[in-house]
Amino acid sequence: MHEHGAALAQLLLEGNQDEAWEYINEYRKKGKDSLYIYEHIITAGMGHIGSLWETNKISVADEHLATSTCDFLLARYQMEKKKEQNPSNSKKAMFLCVESEQHYLGIKMASQLFSEAGWTTRFHGPNLPLEYAKKTAVDWQPDVICLSFSILYHAEHLNPYIAELEKLPNRPIVMIGGRLLSHYEFSRYGSKKTIFMKNLEDVRDWIKRHPPGVKSSVSY
Amino acid sequence: MCPTKFLPQPYFRISTDFAILTVSDRSLEIYEPSGNFLDLVDWESRNKAAQLLAKKDERAEGELIMKTKDSPYALVDVSVVWDKSEGHIICLQKDHRLAELESIVEKHRLRLAETNLELLEKKEQVEKSLNEIKSLSCPFIKLTKGTALVPLFGNLDQKLIQQNEERIMHKAHDGDYEDILFDFNGVGTLTDEGVDAFIMLIKELQIMGISPSIIGIKPNHAFYLNRSPAKLDVPFLNSLSKAFKAIM
Ligand code: B12
């Protein structure tokens, strides 16, 4: 896992889209699934970039370049996966980062796992204020709304987002994820219904228990 | 009076345990008053700060996340020089320089996302109308009490059958039909998967005790129907009137 981190980080920092693609495509062709590629290669790569910054070897400007290369990588990977994917089914999930939150790569991976399992998804990216989130959710009526945050100060948004979204007329399930969840307990910001996900493995298991073809009103 | 008070940038003089000894006025404009320099640093930048400040034999520089009066996570370029047991630090905020870059990146990202979403919506609409067309391509018409006509239109592919088989089975069952005539006059081309699915449907109807038959077969249809490994055991009749005579 560490060697993946360093190897991919290098390519992302160079902005080397083609070789970065080759790097993950090799593993895809060898039969590694999306969970492995997202968690053990791409997340590890971005994590390594974080430690390079912490040891003063790169700057935030470098992180910007790496991020856009990584974003491209995810889009290309999903395009490739779409060819073998089940057609999207009846269940819908929407994805967004809470207000002010710019770290969207993680939730983008989560959204791609849902699509791959046959869910109809909408990805709204970083920084979606609650008002917009509510409006979209009222119109589109997703079964699940996934939120992400990475900056500790943004945890204060969880409470209003969760409360407001859970009481929408179609009673969506609200799911929370982000890097801090594997270290700290955030359940006090949610209700009994809210789901807090520690990593993508949990997400995969949850998706398995909730196949998109089966409509059920409440279950988690 | 200390001349560093008037330095035009945020300046801190610290001791070896990072306690703040003096600051410039500019520091107080930007940062809350604090006893220790590390208290101004974001908790996830503290290790980095401690390492940076520990380099006593050379000038050290690096980025840190710091808490300012305006933001709990401002990006700051920090440089430090030590003179014996005292450190001299200048903190230059970087955010405004990055902000421009960020807004450009963000605009690109939004454009891309919007375009995708628009396309997605169009695609969903098209898929929906396609499904509707497929349902319309397979109407179920009652001819007599025990007989129904199902004219097929368009291409006979897997989708056409999948989309309609459930409806046909239900109607056939609920209406107590004995005979169902599938009319191939409007069928264009056939696919192997479409033929297999059609044969499955016929077999299921037969299990339900219904006698399906096929009318309006053209030579190219026959070629496909016969090519399938599953054999069709139904009468082929070339017109509706013949079909009626056969049934009555
Ligand atoms: C890359 C990066 C950036 C990129 C953003 C990348 C992007 N668009 O996503 C850029 C350069 C833009 C950036 C900006 C900033 N960043 Co930054 N960034 C990072 C870095 C290095 C990596 C983050 C990353 O992409 N990880 C990889 C992803 C895939 O991991 P993940 O998000 O955890 O996701 C996983 C899971 O959590 C899960 N998941 C995530 N979301 C969800 C949602 C659901 C529903 C589910 C089920 C699962 C799930 O899925 C993933 C796979 O398991 C981290 C360092 C670190 N240690 O994390 C700092 C870090 C997070 N950033 C930090 C900071 C401070 C900033 C800035 C304030 C700096 C600045 N002033 O410029 C800004 C803040 C912008 C803002 N307002 O949000 C700090 C946060 C400190 C804190 N106190 O919280 C960190 C920790 C760095 C540090 N040591 O100081 N950053």
Side-chain angles (χ1 to χ4, degrees):
Chain A
M1 171 162 169
H2 282 294
E3 53 190 87
H4 281 326
L8 185 67
Q10 184 59 36
L11 298 172
L12 295 178
L13 286 166
E14 289 167 6
N16 196 335
Q17 299 187 338
D18 293 336
E19 275 187 46
W21 168 251
E22 281 312 315
Y23 190 84
I24 64 166
N25 200 30
E26 276 306 305
Y27 288 93
R28 189 185 68 82
K29 284 194 268 179
K30 277 187 212 151
K32 293 291 183 194
D33 62 0
S34 301
L35 185 70
Y36 182 89
I37 288 176
Y38 292 155
E39 198 82 89
H40 298 293
I41 304 185
I42 302 181
T43 303
M46 292 309 291
H48 189 78
I49 285 173
S51 50
L52 289 175
W53 183 84
E54 277 183 46
T55 48
N56 212 12
K57 302 213 168 68
I58 59 167
S59 70
V60 170
D62 297 313
E63 289 182 357
H64 275 281
L65 175 62
T67 299
S68 62
T69 314
C70 186
D71 199 6
F72 161 84
L73 203 61
L74 284 176
R76 181 151 177 194
Y77 180 75
Q78 192 183 29
M79 220 172 68
E80 197 60 41
K81 271 288 177 191
K82 261 205 180 120
K83 296 178 191 159
E84 50 193 76
Q85 180 168 313
N86 306 321
S88 53
N89 218 309
S90 54
K91 276 200 188 175
K92 298 188 279 192
M94 74 182 241
F95 301 81
L96 56 117
C97 293
V98 299
E99 187 164 347
S100 309
E101 182 63 61
Q102 299 291 351
H103 300 89
Y104 64 83
L105 292 174
I107 192 163
K108 188 161 182 168
M109 294 178 203
S111 85
Q112 296 191 177
L113 276 188
F114 272 82
S115 315
E116 201 179 302
W119 286 64
T120 304
T121 62
R122 277 200 185 168
F123 179 70
H124 294 275
N127 180 24
L128 195 72
L130 179 53
E131 283 314 305
Y132 292 99
K134 256 166 69 179
K135 201 174 153 291
T136 314
V138 166
D139 293 345
W140 196 56
Q141 306 213 336
D143 301 275
V144 178
I145 303 177
C146 295
L147 310 179
S148 183
F149 75 103
S150 292
I151 294 203
L152 189 60
Y153 303 99
H154 298 161
E156 66 183 41
H157 292 304
L158 290 180
N159 214 324
Y161 272 76
I162 295 171
E164 295 277 316
L165 294 173
E166 280 184 349
K167 72 174 186 226
L168 290 179
N170 72 319
R171 302 278 160 194
I173 293 171
V174 175
M175 187 184 285
I176 315 291
R179 67 180 187 102
L180 294 168
L181 269 73
S182 48
H183 305 291
Y184 305 98
E185 194 44 66
F186 289 94
S187 50
R188 66 180 179 285
Y189 293 101
S191 74
K192 273 191 224 126
K193 272 184 66 186
T194 321
I195 303 171
F196 292 85
M197 289 286 179
K198 289 204 172 19
N199 51 43
L200 292 185
E201 211 166 324
D202 288 357
V203 177
R204 190 223 20 218
D205 294 343
W206 188 91
I207 293 175
K208 265 193 199 149
R209 279 182 276 122
H210 300 77
V214 188
K215 275 259 180 199
S216 60
S217 50
V218 191
S219 60
Y220 48 91
Chain B
M1 200 194 56
C2 182
T4 53
K5 178 174 157 61
F6 302 107
L7 281 178
Q9 295 293 355
Y11 162 81
F12 301 86
R13 186 167 60 95
I14 59 169
S15 68
T16 41
D17 53 2
F18 312 140
I20 295 173
L21 306 172
T22 48
V23 299
S24 64
D25 286 348
R26 193 79 180 109
S27 292
L28 292 174
E29 276 171 38
I30 293 174
Y31 301 94
E32 296 290 351
S34 161
N36 193 291
F37 185 78
L38 284 189
D39 291 339
L40 297 173
V41 175
D42 177 62
W43 62 290
E44 279 183 282
S45 279
R46 281 198 193 138
N47 282 337
K48 186 176 181 181
Q51 274 164 22
L52 212 64
L53 298 182
K55 285 191 182 156
K56 299 239 163 77
D57 39 351
E58 52 178 346
R59 185 170 58 104
E61 282 178 343
E63 291 175 336
L64 293 179
I65 305 298
M66 294 183 71
K67 290 175 266 190
T68 65
K69 288 181 180 170
D70 291 338
S71 164
Y73 43 74
L75 182 61
V76 178
D77 258 336
V78 174
S79 38
V80 55
V81 169
W82 285 88
D83 178 31
K84 294 184 197 96
S85 60
E86 284 182 4
H88 304 269
I89 305 175
I90 295 276
C91 296
L92 294 179
Q93 223 170 308
K94 219 174 179 180
D95 285 355
H96 56 284
R97 271 179 280 157
L98 263 185
E100 207 176 322
L101 174 73
E102 266 166 23
S103 76
I104 295 170
V105 173
E106 173 67 3
K107 259 187 221 136
H108 284 298
R109 202 197 57 74
L110 278 179
R111 269 294 293 285
L112 196 72
E114 255 166 38
T115 329
N116 282 345
L117 215 65
E118 269 168 28
L119 278 178
L120 206 76
E121 261 165 26
K122 285 270 172 337
K123 182 177 148 261
E124 279 171 8
Q125 279 168 10
V126 171
E127 270 171 7
K128 226 172 136 198
S129 18
L130 205 69
N131 281 343
E132 275 158 18
I133 292 171
K134 288 278 182 203
S135 305
L136 286 176
S137 306
C138 192
F140 193 97
I141 303 164
K142 179 174 180 170
L143 291 181
T144 69
K145 200 169 157 288
T147 313
L149 176 69
V150 180
L152 302 174
F153 296 103
N155 295 339
L156 186 124
D157 51 17
Q158 201 175 13
K159 193 96 205 240
L160 182 74
I161 302 300
Q162 265 174 4
Q163 179 98 22
N164 293 293
E165 60 188 345
E166 216 179 282
R167 195 168 44 90
I168 293 173
M169 304 269 280
H170 269 137
K171 290 218 169 173
H173 178 262
D174 295 349
D176 254 345
Y177 290 98
E178 287 159 13
D179 295 286
I180 296 186
L181 308 172
F182 287 94
D183 184 351
F184 272 57
N185 272 305
V187 172
T189 55
L190 298 82
T191 67
D192 288 338
E193 295 77 28
V195 169
D196 289 343
F198 179 69
I199 294 176
M200 283 297 290
L201 171 64
I202 294 292
K203 296 218 155 116
E204 276 174 73
L205 287 170
Q206 285 170 330
I207 291 168
M208 284 161 66
I210 296 166
S211 319
S213 41
I214 297 178
I215 59 177
I217 287 282
K218 289 176 208 141
N220 68 320
H221 297 156
F223 172 74
Y224 274 97
L225 288 175
N226 292 332
R227 196 160 83 167
S228 170
K231 282 285 161 277
L232 262 183
D233 180 22
V234 294
F236 288 83
L237 307 155
N238 45 22
S239 77
L240 193 56
S241 58
K242 275 216 185 111
F244 262 114
K245 276 191 209 121
I247 292 163
M248 297 297 164

